[in-house]
mmCIF file with all atom_site columns, all heavy atoms in Angstrom:
data_model
loop_
_atom_site.group_PDB
_atom_site.id
_atom_site.type_symbol
_atom_site.label_atom_id
_atom_site.label_alt_id
_atom_site.label_comp_id
_atom_site.label_asym_id
_atom_site.label_entity_id
_atom_site.label_seq_id
_atom_site.pdbx_PDB_ins_code
_atom_site.Cartn_x
_atom_site.Cartn_y
_atom_site.Cartn_z
_atom_site.occupancy
_atom_site.B_iso_or_equiv
_atom_site.pdbx_formal_charge
_atom_site.auth_seq_id
_atom_site.auth_comp_id
_atom_site.auth_asym_id
_atom_site.auth_atom_id
_atom_site.pdbx_PDB_model_num
ATOM 1   N N   . GLN A 1 37  ? 75.843 54.114 44.092 1.00 96.00 ? 37  GLN A N   1
ATOM 2   C CA  . GLN A 1 37  ? 76.300 55.140 45.012 1.00 96.00 ? 37  GLN A CA  1
ATOM 3   C C   . GLN A 1 37  ? 75.691 54.906 46.385 1.00 96.00 ? 37  GLN A C   1
ATOM 4   O O   . GLN A 1 37  ? 74.470 54.823 46.506 1.00 96.00 ? 37  GLN A O   1
ATOM 5   C CB  . GLN A 1 37  ? 75.940 56.546 44.523 1.00 96.00 ? 37  GLN A CB  1
ATOM 6   C CG  . GLN A 1 37  ? 76.481 57.647 45.405 1.00 96.00 ? 37  GLN A CG  1
ATOM 7   C CD  . GLN A 1 37  ? 76.100 59.028 44.902 1.00 96.00 ? 37  GLN A CD  1
ATOM 8   O OE1 . GLN A 1 37  ? 75.264 59.180 44.009 1.00 96.00 ? 37  GLN A OE1 1
ATOM 9   N NE2 . GLN A 1 37  ? 76.719 60.059 45.467 1.00 96.00 ? 37  GLN A NE2 1
ATOM 10  N N   . GLY A 1 42  ? 82.038 57.103 47.062 1.00 87.00 ? 42  GLY A N   1
ATOM 11  C CA  . GLY A 1 42  ? 82.069 57.450 45.642 1.00 87.00 ? 42  GLY A CA  1
ATOM 12  C C   . GLY A 1 42  ? 81.232 56.467 44.861 1.00 87.00 ? 42  GLY A C   1
ATOM 13  O O   . GLY A 1 42  ? 80.571 55.586 45.420 1.00 87.00 ? 42  GLY A O   1
ATOM 14  N N   . GLN A 1 50  ? 80.493 48.242 26.006 1.00 88.00 ? 50  GLN A N   1
ATOM 15  C CA  . GLN A 1 50  ? 81.109 49.083 24.962 1.00 88.00 ? 50  GLN A CA  1
ATOM 16  C C   . GLN A 1 50  ? 80.407 48.981 23.634 1.00 88.00 ? 50  GLN A C   1
ATOM 17  O O   . GLN A 1 50  ? 80.591 49.830 22.771 1.00 88.00 ? 50  GLN A O   1
ATOM 18  C CB  . GLN A 1 50  ? 82.595 48.700 24.805 1.00 88.00 ? 50  GLN A CB  1
ATOM 19  C CG  . GLN A 1 50  ? 83.438 49.019 26.022 1.00 88.00 ? 50  GLN A CG  1
ATOM 20  C CD  . GLN A 1 50  ? 84.876 48.595 25.827 1.00 88.00 ? 50  GLN A CD  1
ATOM 21  O OE1 . GLN A 1 50  ? 85.185 47.425 25.908 1.00 88.00 ? 50  GLN A OE1 1
ATOM 22  N NE2 . GLN A 1 50  ? 85.737 49.535 25.556 1.00 88.00 ? 50  GLN A NE2 1
ATOM 23  N N   . ASP A 1 59  ? 83.467 46.357 39.305 1.00 91.00 ? 59  ASP A N   1
ATOM 24  C CA  . ASP A 1 59  ? 84.022 45.954 40.603 1.00 91.00 ? 59  ASP A CA  1
ATOM 25  C C   . ASP A 1 59  ? 83.029 45.216 41.495 1.00 91.00 ? 59  ASP A C   1
ATOM 26  O O   . ASP A 1 59  ? 83.420 44.436 42.359 1.00 91.00 ? 59  ASP A O   1
ATOM 27  C CB  . ASP A 1 59  ? 84.508 47.200 41.376 1.00 91.00 ? 59  ASP A CB  1
ATOM 28  C CG  . ASP A 1 59  ? 85.645 47.884 40.633 1.00 91.00 ? 59  ASP A CG  1
ATOM 29  O OD1 . ASP A 1 59  ? 86.464 47.166 40.003 1.00 91.00 ? 59  ASP A OD1 1
ATOM 30  O OD2 . ASP A 1 59  ? 85.727 49.127 40.677 1.00 91.00 ? 59  ASP A OD2 1
ATOM 31  N N   . ALA A 1 97  ? 86.650 56.243 23.560 1.00 56.00 ? 97  ALA A N   1
ATOM 32  C CA  . ALA A 1 97  ? 87.824 57.113 23.700 1.00 56.00 ? 97  ALA A CA  1
ATOM 33  C C   . ALA A 1 97  ? 88.486 57.386 22.349 1.00 56.00 ? 97  ALA A C   1
ATOM 34  O O   . ALA A 1 97  ? 88.766 58.520 22.015 1.00 56.00 ? 97  ALA A O   1
ATOM 35  C CB  . ALA A 1 97  ? 88.822 56.490 24.651 1.00 56.00 ? 97  ALA A CB  1
ATOM 36  N N   . GLY A 1 101 ? 91.209 60.563 23.359 1.00 55.00 ? 101 GLY A N   1
ATOM 37  C CA  . GLY A 1 101 ? 91.377 60.446 24.794 1.00 55.00 ? 101 GLY A CA  1
ATOM 38  C C   . GLY A 1 101 ? 90.106 60.019 25.480 1.00 55.00 ? 101 GLY A C   1
ATOM 39  O O   . GLY A 1 101 ? 89.059 59.896 24.882 1.00 55.00 ? 101 GLY A O   1
ATOM 40  N N   . ARG A 1 102 ? 90.186 59.846 26.749 1.00 71.00 ? 102 ARG A N   1
ATOM 41  C CA  . ARG A 1 102 ? 89.080 59.348 27.552 1.00 71.00 ? 102 ARG A CA  1
ATOM 42  C C   . ARG A 1 102 ? 88.001 60.419 27.661 1.00 71.00 ? 102 ARG A C   1
ATOM 43  O O   . ARG A 1 102 ? 88.228 61.495 28.141 1.00 71.00 ? 102 ARG A O   1
ATOM 44  C CB  . ARG A 1 102 ? 89.613 58.979 28.941 1.00 71.00 ? 102 ARG A CB  1
ATOM 45  C CG  . ARG A 1 102 ? 88.604 58.408 29.888 1.00 71.00 ? 102 ARG A CG  1
ATOM 46  C CD  . ARG A 1 102 ? 88.070 57.088 29.362 1.00 71.00 ? 102 ARG A CD  1
ATOM 47  N NE  . ARG A 1 102 ? 87.324 56.377 30.396 1.00 71.00 ? 102 ARG A NE  1
ATOM 48  C CZ  . ARG A 1 102 ? 86.040 56.550 30.628 1.00 71.00 ? 102 ARG A CZ  1
ATOM 49  N NH1 . ARG A 1 102 ? 85.370 57.434 29.933 1.00 71.00 ? 102 ARG A NH1 1
ATOM 50  N NH2 . ARG A 1 102 ? 85.442 55.880 31.585 1.00 71.00 ? 102 ARG A NH2 1
ATOM 51  N N   . LEU A 1 105 ? 81.803 61.169 31.173 1.00 90.00 ? 105 LEU A N   1
ATOM 52  C CA  . LEU A 1 105 ? 80.549 60.433 31.306 1.00 90.00 ? 105 LEU A CA  1
ATOM 53  C C   . LEU A 1 105 ? 79.375 61.396 31.366 1.00 90.00 ? 105 LEU A C   1
ATOM 54  O O   . LEU A 1 105 ? 79.443 62.463 31.950 1.00 90.00 ? 105 LEU A O   1
ATOM 55  C CB  . LEU A 1 105 ? 80.587 59.572 32.580 1.00 90.00 ? 105 LEU A CB  1
ATOM 56  C CG  . LEU A 1 105 ? 81.647 58.471 32.661 1.00 90.00 ? 105 LEU A CG  1
ATOM 57  C CD1 . LEU A 1 105 ? 81.589 57.786 34.000 1.00 90.00 ? 105 LEU A CD1 1
ATOM 58  C CD2 . LEU A 1 105 ? 81.474 57.483 31.547 1.00 90.00 ? 105 LEU A CD2 1
ATOM 59  N N   . GLY A 1 108 ? 72.419 59.848 33.951 1.00 95.00 ? 108 GLY A N   1
ATOM 60  C CA  . GLY A 1 108 ? 71.006 60.018 34.185 1.00 95.00 ? 108 GLY A CA  1
ATOM 61  C C   . GLY A 1 108 ? 70.785 60.570 35.580 1.00 95.00 ? 108 GLY A C   1
ATOM 62  O O   . GLY A 1 108 ? 71.721 60.781 36.324 1.00 95.00 ? 108 GLY A O   1
ATOM 63  N N   . TYR B 2 33  ? 93.586 60.563 32.864 1.00 92.00 ? 33  TYR B N   1
ATOM 64  C CA  . TYR B 2 33  ? 92.688 61.707 32.752 1.00 92.00 ? 33  TYR B CA  1
ATOM 65  C C   . TYR B 2 33  ? 92.049 61.970 34.126 1.00 92.00 ? 33  TYR B C   1
ATOM 66  O O   . TYR B 2 33  ? 91.692 61.043 34.840 1.00 92.00 ? 33  TYR B O   1
ATOM 67  C CB  . TYR B 2 33  ? 91.597 61.435 31.715 1.00 92.00 ? 33  TYR B CB  1
ATOM 68  C CG  . TYR B 2 33  ? 92.128 61.325 30.317 1.00 92.00 ? 33  TYR B CG  1
ATOM 69  C CD1 . TYR B 2 33  ? 92.659 60.105 29.857 1.00 92.00 ? 33  TYR B CD1 1
ATOM 70  C CD2 . TYR B 2 33  ? 92.151 62.413 29.475 1.00 92.00 ? 33  TYR B CD2 1
ATOM 71  C CE1 . TYR B 2 33  ? 93.174 59.988 28.587 1.00 92.00 ? 33  TYR B CE1 1
ATOM 72  C CE2 . TYR B 2 33  ? 92.668 62.317 28.207 1.00 92.00 ? 33  TYR B CE2 1
ATOM 73  C CZ  . TYR B 2 33  ? 93.168 61.121 27.755 1.00 92.00 ? 33  TYR B CZ  1
ATOM 74  O OH  . TYR B 2 33  ? 93.681 61.021 26.503 1.00 92.00 ? 33  TYR B OH  1
ATOM 75  N N   . TYR B 2 37  ? 83.160 66.329 38.671 1.00 96.00 ? 37  TYR B N   1
ATOM 76  C CA  . TYR B 2 37  ? 81.722 66.299 38.427 1.00 96.00 ? 37  TYR B CA  1
ATOM 77  C C   . TYR B 2 37  ? 80.992 66.952 39.587 1.00 96.00 ? 37  TYR B C   1
ATOM 78  O O   . TYR B 2 37  ? 81.446 66.893 40.727 1.00 96.00 ? 37  TYR B O   1
ATOM 79  C CB  . TYR B 2 37  ? 81.209 64.861 38.310 1.00 96.00 ? 37  TYR B CB  1
ATOM 80  C CG  . TYR B 2 37  ? 81.674 64.103 37.084 1.00 96.00 ? 37  TYR B CG  1
ATOM 81  C CD1 . TYR B 2 37  ? 82.867 63.410 37.078 1.00 96.00 ? 37  TYR B CD1 1
ATOM 82  C CD2 . TYR B 2 37  ? 80.867 64.075 35.927 1.00 96.00 ? 37  TYR B CD2 1
ATOM 83  C CE1 . TYR B 2 37  ? 83.290 62.704 35.961 1.00 96.00 ? 37  TYR B CE1 1
ATOM 84  C CE2 . TYR B 2 37  ? 81.289 63.370 34.810 1.00 96.00 ? 37  TYR B CE2 1
ATOM 85  C CZ  . TYR B 2 37  ? 82.495 62.682 34.833 1.00 96.00 ? 37  TYR B CZ  1
ATOM 86  O OH  . TYR B 2 37  ? 82.887 61.992 33.732 1.00 96.00 ? 37  TYR B OH  1
ATOM 87  N N   . GLU B 2 44  ? 71.682 63.679 39.192 1.00 91.00 ? 44  GLU B N   1
ATOM 88  C CA  . GLU B 2 44  ? 72.601 63.329 38.101 1.00 91.00 ? 44  GLU B CA  1
ATOM 89  C C   . GLU B 2 44  ? 73.925 64.027 38.277 1.00 91.00 ? 44  GLU B C   1
ATOM 90  O O   . GLU B 2 44  ? 73.996 65.134 38.766 1.00 91.00 ? 44  GLU B O   1
ATOM 91  C CB  . GLU B 2 44  ? 71.981 63.670 36.749 1.00 91.00 ? 44  GLU B CB  1
ATOM 92  C CG  . GLU B 2 44  ? 72.187 65.099 36.286 1.00 91.00 ? 44  GLU B CG  1
ATOM 93  C CD  . GLU B 2 44  ? 71.209 66.065 36.904 1.00 91.00 ? 44  GLU B CD  1
ATOM 94  O OE1 . GLU B 2 44  ? 70.602 65.703 37.935 1.00 91.00 ? 44  GLU B OE1 1
ATOM 95  O OE2 . GLU B 2 44  ? 71.073 67.173 36.365 1.00 91.00 ? 44  GLU B OE2 1
ATOM 96  N N   . ARG B 2 50  ? 87.696 68.087 32.279 1.00 91.00 ? 50  ARG B N   1
ATOM 97  C CA  . ARG B 2 50  ? 88.574 66.965 32.037 1.00 91.00 ? 50  ARG B CA  1
ATOM 98  C C   . ARG B 2 50  ? 89.978 67.503 31.782 1.00 91.00 ? 50  ARG B C   1
ATOM 99  O O   . ARG B 2 50  ? 90.148 68.510 31.099 1.00 91.00 ? 50  ARG B O   1
ATOM 100 C CB  . ARG B 2 50  ? 88.119 66.166 30.799 1.00 91.00 ? 50  ARG B CB  1
ATOM 101 C CG  . ARG B 2 50  ? 89.022 64.989 30.473 1.00 91.00 ? 50  ARG B CG  1
ATOM 102 C CD  . ARG B 2 50  ? 88.605 64.318 29.183 1.00 91.00 ? 50  ARG B CD  1
ATOM 103 N NE  . ARG B 2 50  ? 89.007 65.062 28.018 1.00 91.00 ? 50  ARG B NE  1
ATOM 104 C CZ  . ARG B 2 50  ? 89.013 64.570 26.783 1.00 91.00 ? 50  ARG B CZ  1
ATOM 105 N NH1 . ARG B 2 50  ? 88.614 63.329 26.574 1.00 91.00 ? 50  ARG B NH1 1
ATOM 106 N NH2 . ARG B 2 50  ? 89.362 65.297 25.771 1.00 91.00 ? 50  ARG B NH2 1
ATOM 107 N N   . SER B 2 95  ? 90.816 58.414 35.421 1.00 91.00 ? 95  SER B N   1
ATOM 108 C CA  . SER B 2 95  ? 90.618 57.359 34.436 1.00 91.00 ? 95  SER B CA  1
ATOM 109 C C   . SER B 2 95  ? 91.921 57.080 33.715 1.00 91.00 ? 95  SER B C   1
ATOM 110 O O   . SER B 2 95  ? 92.563 57.983 33.216 1.00 91.00 ? 95  SER B O   1
ATOM 111 C CB  . SER B 2 95  ? 89.539 57.770 33.435 1.00 91.00 ? 95  SER B CB  1
ATOM 112 O OG  . SER B 2 95  ? 89.359 56.754 32.463 1.00 91.00 ? 95  SER B OG  1
ATOM 113 N N   . ASP B 2 98  ? 89.775 52.975 29.203 1.00 69.00 ? 98  ASP B N   1
ATOM 114 C CA  . ASP B 2 98  ? 88.464 53.446 28.740 1.00 69.00 ? 98  ASP B CA  1
ATOM 115 C C   . ASP B 2 98  ? 87.353 53.217 29.745 1.00 69.00 ? 98  ASP B C   1
ATOM 116 O O   . ASP B 2 98  ? 86.433 53.991 29.832 1.00 69.00 ? 98  ASP B O   1
ATOM 117 C CB  . ASP B 2 98  ? 88.108 52.729 27.440 1.00 69.00 ? 98  ASP B CB  1
ATOM 118 C CG  . ASP B 2 98  ? 88.885 53.296 26.268 1.00 69.00 ? 98  ASP B CG  1
ATOM 119 O OD1 . ASP B 2 98  ? 89.599 54.277 26.468 1.00 69.00 ? 98  ASP B OD1 1
ATOM 120 O OD2 . ASP B 2 98  ? 88.785 52.747 25.170 1.00 69.00 ? 98  ASP B OD2 1
ATOM 121 N N   . ASN B 2 99  ? 87.396 52.083 30.432 1.00 71.00 ? 99  ASN B N   1
ATOM 122 C CA  . ASN B 2 99  ? 86.246 51.707 31.251 1.00 71.00 ? 99  ASN B CA  1
ATOM 123 C C   . ASN B 2 99  ? 86.577 51.602 32.718 1.00 71.00 ? 99  ASN B C   1
ATOM 124 O O   . ASN B 2 99  ? 85.995 50.784 33.422 1.00 71.00 ? 99  ASN B O   1
ATOM 125 C CB  . ASN B 2 99  ? 85.682 50.386 30.710 1.00 71.00 ? 99  ASN B CB  1
ATOM 126 C CG  . ASN B 2 99  ? 85.224 50.539 29.287 1.00 71.00 ? 99  ASN B CG  1
ATOM 127 O OD1 . ASN B 2 99  ? 84.269 51.252 29.015 1.00 71.00 ? 99  ASN B OD1 1
ATOM 128 N ND2 . ASN B 2 99  ? 85.914 49.893 28.385 1.00 71.00 ? 99  ASN B ND2 1
ATOM 129 N N   . ARG B 2 102 ? 87.689 55.924 38.249 1.00 91.00 ? 102 ARG B N   1
ATOM 130 C CA  . ARG B 2 102 ? 87.653 55.807 39.707 1.00 91.00 ? 102 ARG B CA  1
ATOM 131 C C   . ARG B 2 102 ? 87.243 57.123 40.320 1.00 91.00 ? 102 ARG B C   1
ATOM 132 O O   . ARG B 2 102 ? 87.850 58.163 40.042 1.00 91.00 ? 102 ARG B O   1
ATOM 133 C CB  . ARG B 2 102 ? 89.046 55.398 40.229 1.00 91.00 ? 102 ARG B CB  1
ATOM 134 C CG  . ARG B 2 102 ? 89.522 54.070 39.720 1.00 91.00 ? 102 ARG B CG  1
ATOM 135 C CD  . ARG B 2 102 ? 88.806 52.944 40.422 1.00 91.00 ? 102 ARG B CD  1
ATOM 136 N NE  . ARG B 2 102 ? 89.016 51.678 39.742 1.00 91.00 ? 102 ARG B NE  1
ATOM 137 C CZ  . ARG B 2 102 ? 88.633 50.491 40.228 1.00 91.00 ? 102 ARG B CZ  1
ATOM 138 N NH1 . ARG B 2 102 ? 87.969 50.470 41.386 1.00 91.00 ? 102 ARG B NH1 1
ATOM 139 N NH2 . ARG B 2 102 ? 88.858 49.402 39.572 1.00 91.00 ? 102 ARG B NH2 1
#
Side-chain angles (χ1 to χ4, degrees):
Chain A
Q37 184 180 12
Q50 293 179 283
D59 297 326
R102 182 64 167 87
L105 297 177
Chain B
Y33 294 84
Y37 291 88
E44 86 279 18
R50 179 185 76 165
S95 179
D98 284 354
N99 299 294
R102 299 284 168 173

